[in-house]
Amino acid sequence: MTTTIDLSGKIALVTGAGRGIGREIALTLAAAGAAVAVNDFAGEETCLAVVAEIEALGVRAICAMGDVGDEASVAAMVEKVETELGPLAIVVNNAGITRDNVVMLMSPDDFDGVVRTHLRGTFLVSKAVARKMLRRREGSIINISSVVGRRGNAGQANYAAAKAGIIGLTKSLAKELGARTIRVNAVAPGYIDTAMTQELSDDVRKAIVDATPLRAIGQPSDVANAVLFLASPLSRYITGCTLPVDGGLGI
Ligand code: NDP
């Protein structure tokens, strides 16, 4: 019996991987041997820097710029990845934005924008790869949700709705694709130390740590390791689940 995770020969796409959690996921999958397509929206330089870091590990990588909320952009991105790297076996829907406000002050544009990137983006990328994976009877799709999608959060109704939607999308897709051994799972991080959370005040950070049973803010590697497990054959009998990576905050 072996428990080593070896993804050599597998091709992975990670959206929003120029920085933060996505970057860490891309590096972690590459360290396990997968060739990785690094998607980002605006930051081509950061995307290329992640590609260089991956290549330094001795595996193939490409930068696949594109807007996950735009159907044509997603189609072009997936085509580029499969042409340049090969058939996708692992897809991580990680790209995301926040536009926080209480509902009474939230503009419809800020609601739509967040839902567009997270929920529509996850739908479009999953749709673009689903038929290809079905034909090959191989694939693991991992969607990044959030503890906020499970519990809601004042000031983040748009984000919470999108992240809750991702959980429903994950379960539905798992049911649609399971018969051909395509697995679809979600990861629900708690508060993770990235640019997205670095704007929080010290008081808010302390309140989060106090409410977290493990009494700490998580690191991008905590999420990346969960994604690695769900991408690997170690989780071959797991689909449709939402794995919390939140130090117990969601209990
Ligand atoms: P960051 O803000 O650090 O990074 C987000 C990434 O998504 C960036 O690379 C950004 O690209 C990219 N992106 C944004 N919009 C698009 C788009 N339309 N198309 C393609 N890429 C896009 O976020 P985190 O690393 O903190 O978060 C990553 C994921 O984890 C998100 O889904 C987030 O909601 C989720 N999450 C984060 C938590 C946290 O505490 N940090 C907690 C729970 C969930 P660019 O640089 O070009 O803007």
Side-chain angles (χ1 to χ4, degrees), residues 12-102:
L13 164 66
V14 185
T15 68
R19 55 191 162 96
I21 293 171
R23 171 182 170 275
E24 192 68 26
I25 292 170
L27 289 169
T28 301
L29 295 176
V36 183
V38 179
N39 159 259
D40 210 42
F41 183 33
E44 187 157 18
E45 269 177 33
T46 51
C47 186
L48 289 169
V50 179
V51 166
E53 281 185 88
I54 293 174
E55 286 173 340
L57 296 171
V59 294
R60 291 184 303 149
I62 62 165
C63 175
M65 299 297 290
D67 174 4
V68 296
D70 180 83
E71 191 174 14
S73 176
V74 167
M77 172 177 73
V78 169
E79 214 45 52
K80 174 185 163 84
V81 174
E82 294 224 331
T83 304
E84 295 184 19
L85 284 183
L88 278 163
I90 299 161
V91 170
V92 185
N93 286 303
N94 164 83
I97 58 169
T98 49
R99 298 283 182 271
D100 296 354
N101 216 332
V102 292

Side-chain angles (χ1 to χ4, degrees), residues 15-23 39-44 46 65-70 77 93-98 116-118 144-148 159 163 166 187-197 217 220 223:
T15 68
R19 55 191 162 96
I21 293 171
R23 171 182 170 275
N39 159 259
D40 210 42
F41 183 33
E44 187 157 18
T46 51
M65 299 297 290
D67 174 4
V68 296
D70 180 83
M77 172 177 73
N93 286 303
N94 164 83
I97 58 169
T98 49
R116 178 184 182 276
T117 303
H118 290 274
I144 307 302
S145 177
S146 168
V147 65
V148 164
Y159 184 79
K163 291 305 200 185
I166 285 176
V187 172
Y191 285 80
I192 308 294
D193 206 3
T194 69
M196 201 176 260
T197 47
I217 301 249
V223 181

